[in-house]
Amino acid sequence: MYRLPFLLFISFFFGSNAFAQDLNYAKKTINTLTSKKYWGRGYTKDGMGKAANYIEKEFRSFGLVPISSNDFKQGFSFAVNTFPSKMEVKLDGRKLIAGKDFIVHQASKGISITDSLVKKDSLTYLGKSGSIAISLQPKLTWSVSQKVLDYTIIEISQKAVITNPTVIKVDVENRLEPNFKAANVLAMVKGTAKPDSMIVFTAHYDHLGGMGEQIYFPGANDNASGIAMLLNLAKYYAANPPKYSIVFIAFAAEEAGLLGSKYFTENPLFPLQNIRFLWNLDLLGNGDAGATVVNATIHPQEFALLNKINAEHKYLTKINPRGKAANSDHHFFTEKGVPAFFLYTQGGSPAYHDVDDIAKKLPLTAFENLFKLFIKFNTVLIH
């Protein structure tokens, strides 16, 4: 048997396990952020606030420094419709399960009513009172609203409806929070030669929160996976500072309309023109079908470099180009002229904005190779 020289063996063994430990850390991060304690990182039970504190604690533990004075957080506020408690629906006397059989449309007002239903079409039923509507859906997909309608919409899974429903009983409470307080969480590794030039990594840490007292949306792929990558990269760069500064921003309120990144670009804590390149990390839990890069067509040189590196090292099966899109936190940076890519993985679980986006369903197929791709791209870019 061929024997490796002792020092080479030691380097190989510990180097391999060091990265394996990063993947373990990523899994631990995802499990933590999707746990009941963080309640979907949303707008009830202080889920978003607890997640922000967790991320700040991790930044501090790696030895990162704040960008502005001694504060890792950039606070802001906005209106949001929440559902803190009552969440009961019966259809023809049969109790439906929140999250599985039904969701309440995110802009709905609370209501307590028993109402007869009139069929409008094959997928829509209206209450005779005029205050409630039923929408049958092939998939239940929730979101966040900053406003409240003057009626209530109950979205029901088609699988939960056997015959034409005739009576619905609803007891749902909503609460509009006109001044919900949230915070972006920011930290930096100062560059060794050009500290005023920056590579930026962003990822939103918020998700949809909870619907009632029993159901929350874990948000494993969207976007505990992106935060796991952000923190892995923060830990790596803290131990291996490059020439440029590396900035990490965990945004709040992405699901409410990219509000955290919008606020930051309107109130930047450093000049945006100092950003050499920005990576937005969202939906990184899969990867068996490759990845897609938004803004690839408006930054063809950087996309060509990315593909060249990927072809040399075979990190991903493929990287699909996509044009400009306002679908995540890179958008407002792009609008300000900052060169930015938004990369998301493809394949794996189809769960999205539902109660099935859980940690154990994430294969993390490409996670380790994505980490290496980001590091390699940045190394080539700034040398």
Side-chain angles (χ1 to χ4, degrees):
M1 183 178 71
Y2 176 75
R3 295 181 183 274
L4 288 169
F6 180 73
L7 290 177
L8 180 59
F9 171 79
I10 292 295
S11 175
F12 174 80
F13 179 81
F14 284 103
S16 298
N17 280 275
F19 195 83
Q21 184 59 40
D22 283 342
L23 186 58
N24 289 335
Y25 173 70
K27 291 177 179 178
K28 179 182 176 182
T29 300
I30 294 168
N31 285 331
T32 298
L33 290 174
T34 57
S35 67
K36 190 174 182 179
K37 174 182 176 180
Y38 296 91
W39 204 249
R41 307 183 303 281
Y43 304 93
T44 57
K45 302 191 181 184
D46 193 30
M48 198 183 303
K50 291 174 183 175
N53 291 339
Y54 172 82
I55 294 166
E56 178 182 353
K57 179 174 173 288
E58 295 300 286
F59 282 159
R60 288 181 182 275
S61 73
F62 303 150
L64 274 66
V65 297
I67 293 172
S68 177
S69 64
N70 292 316
D71 198 347
F72 285 83
K73 292 177 181 175
Q74 180 190 42
F76 62 101
S77 62
F78 54 97
V80 64
N81 192 30
T82 71
F83 298 89
S85 55
K86 294 179 181 178
M87 187 59 56
E88 295 181 6
V89 173
K90 288 185 178 180
L91 197 62
D92 292 331
R94 182 167 64 91
K95 186 175 181 179
L96 301 184
I97 301 171
K100 179 183 178 182
D101 297 330
F102 79 93
I103 57 174
V104 176
H105 186 277
Q106 60 270 10
S108 293
K109 73 171 185 177
I111 192 170
S112 182
I113 193 172
T114 299
D115 208 351
S116 299
L117 297 173
V118 178
K119 186 175 182 178
K120 181 181 179 183
D121 56 47
S122 61
L123 298 176
T124 310
Y125 294 79
L126 302 178
K128 285 187 176 180
S129 67
S131 59
I132 194 166
I134 308 302
S135 175
L136 304 185
Q137 298 289 335
K139 180 187 180 303
L140 300 179
T141 303
W142 211 40
S143 190
V144 180
S145 177
Q146 290 190 263
K147 63 181 182 179
V148 180
L149 302 170
D150 58 2
Y151 54 93
T152 305
I153 303 172
I154 307 295
E155 298 184 9
I156 300 177
S157 171
Q158 291 175 348
K159 297 177 182 178
V161 179
I162 301 171
T163 59
N164 290 334
T166 58
V167 178
I168 190 167
K169 182 178 180 180
V170 178
D171 193 3
V172 168
E173 180 191 13
N174 84 299
R175 182 181 301 157
L176 179 67
E177 298 286 355
N179 193 37
F180 182 86
K181 291 179 172 55
N184 300 323
V185 189
L186 311 93
M188 178 172 63
V189 174
K190 287 188 177 181
T192 58
K194 299 181 179 180
D196 291 333
S197 295
M198 300 170 176
I199 300 290
V200 179
F201 286 100
T202 69
H204 75 90
Y205 69 89
D206 66 300
H207 194 52
L208 307 177
M211 192 178 70
E213 295 180 328
Q214 304 299 322
I215 299 299
Y216 73 95
F217 295 78
N221 194 32
D222 186 15
N223 185 36
S225 66
I227 289 296
M229 181 65 76
L230 185 86
L231 292 176
N232 257 307
L233 289 162
K235 180 162 56 168
Y236 170 83
Y237 279 115
N240 303 277
K243 292 193 302 183
Y244 283 38
S245 291
I246 309 292
V247 173
F248 302 91
I249 311 177
F251 285 121
E254 190 265 2
E255 303 290 12
L258 314 181
L259 300 184
S261 53
K262 184 175 188 291
Y263 184 84
F264 179 83
T265 56
E266 292 174 349
N267 303 273
L269 300 181
F270 55 84
L272 297 182
Q273 61 266 30
N274 288 7
I275 301 175
R276 173 62 183 86
F277 205 80
L278 181 145
W279 282 102
N280 183 48
L281 314 174
D282 202 348
L283 307 170
L284 299 187
N286 300 308
D288 52 293
T292 292
V293 170
V294 173
N295 281 354
T297 59
I298 64 173
H299 300 298
Q301 284 185 303
E302 286 84 354
F303 187 67
L305 172 61
L306 188 69
N307 266 311
K308 181 176 182 292
I309 293 169
N310 190 57
E312 289 173 356
H313 298 276
K314 297 180 172 55
Y315 290 137
L316 303 175
T317 56
K318 60 179 177 179
I319 305 177
N320 301 309
R322 184 172 173 180
K324 186 177 176 181
N327 55 351
S328 193
D329 284 316
H330 65 285
H331 170 65
F332 289 107
F333 289 92
T334 299
E335 294 297 287
K336 297 283 188 178
V338 174
F341 279 165
F342 162 32
L343 184 145
Y344 58 91
T345 58
Q346 294 171 304
S349 171
Y352 177 74
H353 278 219
D354 55 40
V355 294
D356 293 322
D357 185 10
I358 59 178
K360 69 179 182 180
K361 288 190 175 182
L362 290 190
L364 296 175
T365 310
F367 197 90
E368 289 180 283
N369 280 348
L370 273 172
F371 178 93
K372 296 172 185 175
L373 180 60
F374 293 136
I375 298 294
K376 187 67 175 177
F377 177 90
N378 291 343
T379 300
V380 175
L381 188 71
I382 63 180
H383 280 79

